């Protein structure tokens, strides 16, 4: 990759200028009687020269890579003879793709009109020229910057302050990545969702009861328009999350209580890390476990009792998801239970309450906000969990509350809609982004509420 | 005796019973959790261990120049393109001369793996003198034969091996002409449609390059962000906003990061699909919150006296951070980074979004080669209909878990060895 090579070259150049800056700082200090007469340590002068070499060149590279494609395209299209000038936007894209394929060698020039072949050659020439110009500009900016930084090395130069302010800006930029990520998520899902809602009305999406995103090729076939009512997906997601919480909340909470209040220190030291192994197991492993072990077992059990169980039942996926969430709830609950002050327990025990009464009447009520926050976080995890449901839950959008039937979830549909070939203007692909938007909004709301509750609670006893 | 005491005494039995019941609930909850761990691991290990070995059949291979169409064994062109499967077919015919029906013959030929011929080619390339000789060779068996041999006597009825082929395999087994050997190709090959030839090495290398990109980006950015937020950021609304952002990103479902990668890196920036570079970028954004949060905790644990001493000796704030706070916080940061990496290594969903689910046979040579990663390979194999892929999937899961366990052990050891208590 060309840009990668340029960056490697830049690192080497930066090292060279670091060395020269170092040398020069010694050289300029020699007549004054040694480095102690410099304003800053030699390393700062050296770093300053390297910074002047590296940063402007990197900025140039980023800017260049951002615009060069568009510039080449505009120039190329303007240079085409009028005979093959495209009439519409679609023709424009088609022609451009054709030219690119010929230029890239994927298409034999003999099979296309002579003008297109000529344009392809021109494109190749333009790209070569572009690369050459980039190389020249990049290297000269790097060298000029480095020389400028090097020439500024003087005993009075406040090099340390300058280098430190650059470093501070870099640190701040790193912290901004978090904001940029959130912004990127919001913009990417929002943008595509708006395009989706231009094709399908939000009312239909939010309240429709039919989900069949596969659009038939010919307009006269069955399901020619597709149906984008997402209620069955929401119901399926909630059903599976509910089953998961039915497993995870009692087990997680009770094991946290037992390990925090009853268990011997040694038992706790062993059992807690073993339970936490469950949190470290990748979700794809749980998916495999759910699909190949738990689902057939449940099916066999159900059939022996005379029930019809779908082989991709919601129960199997929910059960395994619950197991996955156990350590999540138990460690959060453990934190808040151990944070309840000792004096509250002692007071209750001194009044004659048994240990379980103390826990039920004093410790749990005191820890309740924190526990609720933890449960909300766990719910948001269950809703957003993907691999278990992709592997163990179904694809068909059934609107049912029967845990023995197959249901599908939001995340399953996102994966099925986006894996494989896609066209980015069909409602089918865009629907995945609309589902992603729903998922993001719901989990975000749950997280914000949960974090607020947890934080508020923490302040109470600190 | 007062009335209240009487009442309490009467209720005491019920209260003690409820105490016992509560305790039993607690014990059974812990037991359920531990049982889940045990069942999960025994299930995977019992399914997966058989994939680490594979079955070979002993055949007398006649390196017949006529059958191969080779007249000069030193000519690489000829050796490369000769039909080695014909040798195996001839050897099988030789071993079972009674089989004459065309359909039966086809079943007979399928005893050997379709990739077995390539190994014969490699042997001839190494030693051209083999041409014309008759040698006893161990030939890789087809996965149906493999399953049949590995199955218990009563389970053999249920394997996929065709009815007609069973007596042949049993005859081979009786004569000691079948052998179960270490499956070396599992650790050296890429994906394949044939279970007996499929391996995890391509996925492991893909994971390695993806993790390399993730580590190279996430660790420096995460540490820098943590340093800024802990040491330099003024307490104001913008800083609060960044903090809220980081906390929320830590809880955003991973699949959303996949959507981000698809929309921004692939559609907007035009980066190629299915490459470790994009996978690494997506996983970087996903693990950054984890790394920032743990790095901040590590920086917080450095006592203020260290900072004050450095500042008192005339260091600038930046020098104080770089020379004193960061080195002291490094063990904690590394521990957090390893745990974040372990999380990223097991992540599947966002990588499905950016197209790392392609069928990749070749072993990737860099972060810009199309590749798959270990968890995605597990997902792909788990989806395959053939029964032998179940064992293969479990074996790949064992490889993945081995990596995760060693990373987490490393983190624990690091914390124990290097962490300082102030």
């Amino acid at each position: 990759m060309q840009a990668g090579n340029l960056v490697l070259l830049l690192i080497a150049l930066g090292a060279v200028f670091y060395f020269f800056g170092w040398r020069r700082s010694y050289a300029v200090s020699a007549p004054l009687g040694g480095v102690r007469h410099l304003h800053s340590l030699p390393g700062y002068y050296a770093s300053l020269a390297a910074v002047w070499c590296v940063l402007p060149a990197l900025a140039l590279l980023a800017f260049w890579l951002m615009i060069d494609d568009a510039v080449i395209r505009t120039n190329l299209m303007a240079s085409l003879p009028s005979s093959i000038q495209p009439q519409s936007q679609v023709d424009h894209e088609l022609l451009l793709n054709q030219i690119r394929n010929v230029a890239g060698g994927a298409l034999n020039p003999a099979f296309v009109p002579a003008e297109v072949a000529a344009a392809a050659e021109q494109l190749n020439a333009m790209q070569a020229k572009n690369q050459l110009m980039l190389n020249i500009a990049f290297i000269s900016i790097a060298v000029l910057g480095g020389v400028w930084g090097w020439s500024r090395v003087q005993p009075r130069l406040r090099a340390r302050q300058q280098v430190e302010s650059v470093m501070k800006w870099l640190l701040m930029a790193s912290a901004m990545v978090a904001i940029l990520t959130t912004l990127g998520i919001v913009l990417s899902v929002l943008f595509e969702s708006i395009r989706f809602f231009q094709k399908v009305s939000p009312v239909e999406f939010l309240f429709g009861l039919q989900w069949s995103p596969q659009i038939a090729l010919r307009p006269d076939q069955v399901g020619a328009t597709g149906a984008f009512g997402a209620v069955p997906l929401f119901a399926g997601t909630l059903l599976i999350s509910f089953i998961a919480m039915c497993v995870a909340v009692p087990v997680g909470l009770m094991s946290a209580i037992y390990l925090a209040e009853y268990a011997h220190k040694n038992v706790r030291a062993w059992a807690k890390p073993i339970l936490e192994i469950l949190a470290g197991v990748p979700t794809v492993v749980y998916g495999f476990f759910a699909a190949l072990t738990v689902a057939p077992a449940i099916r066999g059990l159900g059939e022996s009792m005379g029930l019809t169980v779908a082989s991709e039942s919601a129960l199997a996926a929910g059960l395994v998801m619950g197991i996955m969430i156990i350590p999540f709830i138990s460690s959060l609950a453990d934190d808040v239970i151990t944070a309840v002050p000792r004096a509250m327990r002692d007071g209750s025990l001194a009044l004659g309450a048994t240990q379980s009464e103390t826990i039920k009447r004093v410790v749990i009520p005191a820890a309740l906000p924190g526990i609720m926050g933890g449960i909300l976080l766990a719910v948001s995890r269950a809703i957003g969990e993907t691999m278990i449901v992709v592997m163990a839950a179904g694809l068909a959008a059934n609107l049912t509350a029967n845990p023995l039937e197959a249901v599908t979830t939001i995340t399953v549909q996102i994966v099925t809609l986006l894996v494989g070939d896609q066209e980015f203007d069909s409602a089918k692909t865009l629907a995945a982004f609309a589902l992603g938007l729903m998922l993001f909004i719901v989990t975000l709301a749950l997280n914000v509420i949960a974090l607020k509750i947890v934080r508020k609670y923490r302040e109470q006893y600190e | 005796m007062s009335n209240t005491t009487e009442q309490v005494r009467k209720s005491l039995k019920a209260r003690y019973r409820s105490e016992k019941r509560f305790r039993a609930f607690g014990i059974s909850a812990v037991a359920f959790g531990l049982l889940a761990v045990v069942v999960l691991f025994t299930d995977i290990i019992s399914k997966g261990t058989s994939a680490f070995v594979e079955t070979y059949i002993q055949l007398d291979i006649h390196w017949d120049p006529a059958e191969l169409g080779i007249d000069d064994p030193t000519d690489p062109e000829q050796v490369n393109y000769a039909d080695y499967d014909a040798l195996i077919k001839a050897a099988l015919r030789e071993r079972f001369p009674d089989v004459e029906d065309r359909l039966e013959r086809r079943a007979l030929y399928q005893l050997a793996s379709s990739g077995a011929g390539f190994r014969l080619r490699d042997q001839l390339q190494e030693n051209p003198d083999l041409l014309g000789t008759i040698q006893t060779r161990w030939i890789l068996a087809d996965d149906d034969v493999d399953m049949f041999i590995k199955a218990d006597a009563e389970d053999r009825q249920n394997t996929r091996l065709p009815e007609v082929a069973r007596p042949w395999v049993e005859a081979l087994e009786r004569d000691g002409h079948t052998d179960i050997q270490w499956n070396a190709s599992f650790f050296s090959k890429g994906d394949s449609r044939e279970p007996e030839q499929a391996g995890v090495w391509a996925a492991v290398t893909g994971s390695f390059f993806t993790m390399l990109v993730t580590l190279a980006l996430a660790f420096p950015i995460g540490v820098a962000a943590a340093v800024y937020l802990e040491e330099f950021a003024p307490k104001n609304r913008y800083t609060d906003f960044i903090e809220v952002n980081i906390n929320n990103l830590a809880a955003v479902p991973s699949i959303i990061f996949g959507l981000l990668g698809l929309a921004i890196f692939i559609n907007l920036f035009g980066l190629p699909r299915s490459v470790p570079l994009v996978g690494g970028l997506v996983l970087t954004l996903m693990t950054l919150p984890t790394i920032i949060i743990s790095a901040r905790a590590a920086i917080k644990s450095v006592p203020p006296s260290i900072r004050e001493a450095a500042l008192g000796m005339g260091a600038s704030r930046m020098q104080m951070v770089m020379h004193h706070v960061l080195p002291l916080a490094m063990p904690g940061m590394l521990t957090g980074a390893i745990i974040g990496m372990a999380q990223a290594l097991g992540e599947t969903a966002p990588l499905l979004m950016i197209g790392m689910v392609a069928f990749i046979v070749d072993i990737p040579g860099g972060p810009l080669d199309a590749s798959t990663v270990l968890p995605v390979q597990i997902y792909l194999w788990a989806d395959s209909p053939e029964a032998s892929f179940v064992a293969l999937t479990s074996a790949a899961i064992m490889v993945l878990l081995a990596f995760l366990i060693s990373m987490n052990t490393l983190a624990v050891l690091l914390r124990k060895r290097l962490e300082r208590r102030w």
Side-chain angles (χ1 to χ4, degrees):
Chain A
M1 187 182 167
Q2 205 59 38
N5 290 342
L6 285 180
V7 171
L8 285 183
L9 178 70
L10 188 64
I11 292 171
L13 275 177
V16 168
F17 278 104
Y18 185 90
F19 174 73
F20 279 118
W22 181 282
R23 288 271 301 270
R24 186 172 156 100
S25 69
Y26 273 91
V28 293
S29 68
L32 300 173
V35 265
R36 68 195 175 86
H37 292 280
L38 293 173
H39 171 271
S40 311
L41 290 168
Y44 286 104
Y45 292 101
S47 306
L48 194 64
V51 161
W52 272 105
C53 164
V54 171
L55 283 188
L58 270 188
L60 172 88
L61 183 67
F63 178 70
W64 194 295
L65 288 182
M66 232 183 299
I67 62 156
D68 69 343
D69 208 40
V71 171
I72 288 181
R73 195 197 316 208
T74 326
N75 279 339
L76 181 71
M77 280 316 195
S79 71
L80 289 182
S82 58
S83 59
I84 60 164
Q85 276 291 351
Q87 300 306 316
S88 68
Q89 187 64 33
V90 180
D91 284 348
H92 188 104
E93 292 295 324
L94 273 178
L95 181 66
L96 203 64
N97 262 335
Q98 200 180 23
I99 295 174
R100 280 210 182 120
N101 283 338
V102 175
L107 201 63
N108 191 332
F111 296 147
V112 292
E115 292 94 335
V116 175
E121 244 166 57
Q122 200 180 356
L123 177 64
N124 274 340
M126 276 169 144
Q127 268 168 349
K129 199 169 131 197
N130 172 50
Q131 193 61 53
L132 186 70
M133 272 161 61
L134 172 61
N135 290 349
I136 291 172
F138 183 80
I139 292 169
S140 47
I141 289 271
V143 171
L144 280 179
V147 169
W148 162 249
W150 171 81
S151 70
R152 292 189 48 195
V153 176
Q154 289 300 331
R156 305 288 297 276
L157 180 72
R158 293 157 61 84
R160 180 173 61 77
Q161 275 83 346
Q162 291 186 7
V163 170
E164 284 184 354
S165 81
V166 170
M167 283 170 79
K168 210 173 142 181
W169 276 101
L170 287 179
L171 294 182
M172 200 165 86
S174 304
M176 295 302 262
V177 171
I179 293 187
L180 284 181
T181 310
T182 311
L183 198 71
I185 289 175
V186 171
L187 286 185
S188 57
V189 292
L190 199 64
F191 197 64
E192 309 281 351
S193 298
I194 289 172
R195 283 172 63 196
F196 172 73
F197 287 130
Q198 283 166 354
K199 292 172 194 256
V200 178
S201 90
V203 178
E204 193 206 322
F205 178 71
L206 287 176
F207 301 108
L209 300 181
Q210 276 295 322
W211 177 266
S212 61
Q214 300 299 338
I215 299 173
L217 285 177
R218 290 201 314 274
D220 53 327
Q221 277 175 314
V222 180
T225 50
F228 292 96
V231 171
L233 310 190
F234 301 151
T237 310
L238 288 181
L239 178 63
I240 290 182
S241 306
F242 178 74
I243 298 170
M245 298 322 282
C246 284
V247 175
V249 172
V251 175
L253 207 52
M254 282 310 292
S255 52
I257 290 171
Y258 184 79
L259 291 178
E261 301 281 333
Y262 287 106
H264 189 264
K265 211 174 66 198
N266 290 343
V267 175
R268 185 181 154 91
W270 275 102
K272 211 169 147 27
I274 293 181
L275 275 186
E276 272 161 15
I277 289 179
L278 286 176
V281 172
T283 55
V284 67
V285 177
Y286 282 114
F288 175 74
F289 181 61
L292 274 102
T293 307
V294 178
I298 287 179
R299 198 187 150 113
L301 198 69
E303 270 166 5
S304 68
M305 292 191 301
L307 297 167
T308 43
V309 183
S311 52
E312 297 182 316
S313 63
L315 190 59
L319 206 64
V320 174
M321 196 189 279
I323 291 174
M324 181 194 85
I325 295 175
I326 290 172
F328 194 73
I329 290 191
S330 76
S331 69
L332 278 171
D334 191 81
D335 284 349
V336 287
I337 288 171
T338 46
V340 173
R342 184 79 230 162
M344 291 176 76
R345 289 187 189 85
D346 290 346
S348 165
L349 292 172
L351 287 172
T354 62
Q355 212 169 350
S356 68
E357 283 163 350
T358 306
I359 293 167
K360 280 188 273 194
R361 306 263 171 88
V362 177
V363 178
I364 298 292
L368 197 60
I371 292 174
M372 287 312 294
I375 290 177
L376 284 184
L377 282 179
V379 171
S380 116
R381 257 188 94 131
I383 291 177
E385 170 47 44
T386 310
M387 288 324 289
I388 295 178
V389 282
V390 165
M391 293 166 84
L395 288 176
N398 293 328
L399 188 54
T400 173
N402 179 359
L404 301 180
E405 274 183 51
V407 294
T408 190
T409 72
I410 298 177
T411 45
V412 172
Q413 290 302 319
I414 295 178
V415 171
T416 27
L417 292 177
L418 283 185
V419 169
D421 294 328
Q422 319 142 1
E423 12 172 3
F424 261 84
D425 45 357
S426 83
K428 184 186 141 196
T429 317
L430 295 175
F433 285 89
L435 289 174
L437 180 67
M438 296 300 302
L439 189 62
F440 182 66
I441 291 174
V442 170
T443 51
L444 188 69
L446 283 173
N447 293 337
V448 170
I449 298 170
L451 287 176
K452 242 188 195 144
I453 296 175
V454 171
R455 191 176 301 164
K456 200 167 174 192
Y457 168 75
R458 224 176 251 153
E459 283 157 7
Q460 236 169 21
Y461 292 117
E462 258 170 16
Chain B
M1 217 179 272
S2 78
N3 201 11
T4 325
T5 326
E6 195 59 34
Q7 258 186 346
V8 169
R9 185 159 300 156
K10 267 187 194 160
S11 67
L12 214 50
K13 219 171 158 187
R15 283 174 62 200
Y16 283 154
R17 247 201 329 270
S18 110
E19 166 76 28
K20 265 193 189 146
R21 211 164 39 229
F22 192 73
R23 201 184 266 250
F25 275 143
I27 292 180
S28 42
V30 175
F32 180 83
L34 299 182
L35 187 74
V37 178
V38 173
V39 169
L40 183 67
F41 277 79
T42 41
D43 181 53
I44 283 162
I45 291 172
S46 68
K47 276 184 183 149
T49 34
S50 71
F52 290 113
V53 289
E54 55 190 356
T55 307
Y56 284 80
I57 309 173
Q58 193 182 46
L59 289 175
D60 293 329
I61 299 286
H62 179 202
W63 303 83
D64 186 2
E67 192 94 58
L68 283 172
I70 299 179
D71 40 41
D72 175 18
T74 52
D75 179 11
E77 190 92 340
Q78 277 187 18
V79 173
N80 226 345
Y81 294 111
D83 182 11
Y84 294 91
D85 289 338
L87 295 188
I88 297 170
K89 285 176 184 169
L92 280 166
R93 274 200 306 271
E94 190 103 342
R95 182 73 176 70
F96 299 100
D98 308 338
V99 184
E100 277 170 2
D101 179 62
R102 257 190 59 218
L103 282 176
E104 285 191 6
R105 276 238 170 120
R106 189 177 294 170
L108 179 66
Y109 296 155
Q110 276 169 3
L111 292 187
S113 162
S114 61
F118 295 112
R119 300 197 185 181
L120 292 183
R121 182 192 68 192
D122 295 345
Q123 288 174 15
L124 187 64
Q125 274 172 344
E126 242 170 61
N127 185 6
D129 297 338
L130 286 174
L131 198 67
T133 61
I134 297 180
Q135 305 275 338
T136 309
R137 283 282 180 269
W138 287 101
I139 301 294
L140 180 60
D142 187 66
D143 63 301
D144 290 342
V145 177
D146 186 52
M147 296 288 280
F148 185 79
I149 295 279
K150 283 175 185 166
D152 300 330
E154 59 265 32
D155 286 344
R156 287 195 165 177
Q157 293 310 313
N158 306 326
T159 59
R160 261 173 39 123
L161 190 67
E163 209 59 61
V164 50
R166 288 181 186 180
W168 305 331
V169 177
E170 275 162 359
L172 283 168
E173 199 180 12
R174 233 183 356 261
D175 299 347
H177 287 170
T178 60
D179 190 22
I180 293 182
Q181 295 177 4
W182 172 246
N183 185 353
S185 65
F186 182 70
F187 293 102
S188 61
K189 290 236 167 72
D191 198 2
S192 168
R193 299 273 183 232
E194 304 295 327
E196 74 275 8
Q197 296 170 42
V200 286
W201 190 244
V204 170
T205 4
S207 273
F208 171 76
F209 286 124
T210 311
M211 288 300 109
L212 204 65
V213 174
T214 309
L215 186 65
L217 289 171
F219 188 61
I221 295 179
V223 168
V227 165
Y228 178 76
L229 291 174
E230 280 299 317
E231 301 285 345
F232 293 102
K235 274 265 161 257
N236 60 21
R237 268 161 58 203
Y238 300 105
T239 320
D240 277 353
F241 183 61
I242 297 180
E243 284 210 47
V244 170
N245 252 305
I246 291 171
N247 285 335
N248 281 326
L249 279 181
V252 166
S254 59
I255 191 167
I256 302 274
F257 287 98
L259 289 179
L260 166 84
L262 178 61
I264 305 271
F265 296 132
I266 292 182
N267 285 347
L268 193 65
F269 291 172
L271 292 173
R273 293 170 69 94
S274 319
V275 299
L277 177 69
V278 180
L281 283 172
V282 170
L283 292 180
T284 299
L285 297 183
M286 203 195 78
T287 44
L288 255 184
T290 319
I291 292 182
I292 295 178
I293 291 169
S294 67
R296 289 186 68 175
I299 293 175
K300 263 199 195 116
S301 72
V302 176
S305 58
I306 302 273
R307 297 185 179 80
E308 283 152 16
L311 292 177
M313 294 301 287
S316 69
R317 283 189 75 83
M318 193 61 82
Q319 284 170 330
M320 164 199 97
V321 170
M322 292 295 159
H323 299 172
H324 302 282
V325 176
L326 265 193
L328 289 173
M330 203 38 95
M333 290 178 172
L334 282 178
T335 316
I338 295 172
I339 289 171
M341 285 291 117
Q343 207 182 57
L345 180 62
E347 197 53 68
T348 322
L351 302 179
L352 298 184
M353 298 286 94
I354 55 160
M356 288 188 98
V357 280
F359 176 75
I360 308 281
V361 178
D362 296 327
I363 291 162
L368 280 167
D369 287 351
S371 64
T372 183
V373 293
L374 207 40
V376 176
Q377 185 70 75
I378 291 168
Y379 166 67
L380 287 172
W381 280 348
D383 247 14
S384 303
E386 279 181 71
S388 342
F389 273 117
V390 172
L392 222 48
T393 315
S394 306
I397 288 176
M398 284 159 75
V399 173
L400 177 63
L401 288 178
F403 275 116
L404 291 179
I405 289 171
S406 39
M407 281 168 86
N408 282 306
T409 319
L410 184 68
V412 171
L413 286 182
L414 207 65
R415 193 178 323 182
K416 279 216 174 116
R417 286 289 296 271
L418 299 175
E419 198 178 45
R420 291 172 72 165
R421 297 236 167 252
W422 304 94

